[in-house]
Amino acid sequence: MGGSSSSLFFLLIMAALLVFMFSRTRKQQKAQQQMQNSIGPGSEVMTTSGMFGTVVERTDQYVVIEIAPGLRTRWTPRAVARVVTPAEQVPDSLEGLDLTKRDEAPTREQDTPGDDTQGGAARP
């Protein structure tokens, strides 16, 4: 009889874990749906692909996001991952960034096609 009660206990534990996992997933889906429903014109958002922009129009079928002045794209509302604060966005300008410093890959001598001295084919 001891084997029967231990397997019953194991099944109860598994059922409790499944209920916990499904309820957590349901809560996350509900929170995501509420966030997507709250998006309206003026909301700063990030899409699931990582694009930032400002919502300029919203319908049940689509969201129009302005990603640069005058550049608007249309998305399904499910593509909006989250509402962001302006501090989280990528800067509009590159002012103050030093773009002159670049890491250069070290060069190494290799046998290249067309190099007769290393046995490659002759260049035309």
Side-chain angles (χ1 to χ4, degrees):
M1 197 98 180
S4 175
S5 57
S6 65
S7 60
L8 180 61
F9 179 72
F10 180 73
L11 287 173
L12 288 174
I13 294 295
M14 291 299 291
L17 286 173
L18 286 173
V19 168
F20 175 73
M21 287 184 348
F22 286 123
S23 67
R24 186 173 177 201
T25 301
R26 233 179 288 128
K27 286 179 188 177
Q28 289 173 340
Q29 288 173 341
K30 186 176 179 180
Q32 183 75 9
Q33 185 67 37
Q34 286 176 340
M35 181 275 305
Q36 289 172 349
N37 289 339
S38 71
I39 295 170
S43 298
E44 302 287 329
V45 297
M46 182 183 84
T47 66
T48 54
S49 62
M51 186 175 300
F52 290 91
T54 304
V55 175
V56 292
E57 183 182 344
R58 166 74 195 264
T59 70
D60 290 337
Q61 291 82 28
Y62 62 87
V63 176
V64 176
I65 300 174
E66 187 171 55
I67 56 175
L71 182 58
R72 296 178 176 190
T73 57
R74 188 169 59 173
W75 301 76
T76 178
R78 291 180 296 164
V80 176
R82 62 190 171 111
V83 176
V84 297
T85 61
E88 292 178 276
Q89 291 188 14
V90 177
D92 290 336
S93 72
L94 299 177
E95 185 177 322
L97 295 177
D98 186 4
L99 301 176
T100 59
K101 294 181 182 176
R102 298 177 69 186
D103 292 335
E104 295 191 24
T107 58
R108 59 176 217 223
E109 297 296 319
Q110 317 180 12
D111 185 6
T112 57
D115 185 355
D116 291 339
T117 61
Q118 299 295 322
R123 290 188 181 143

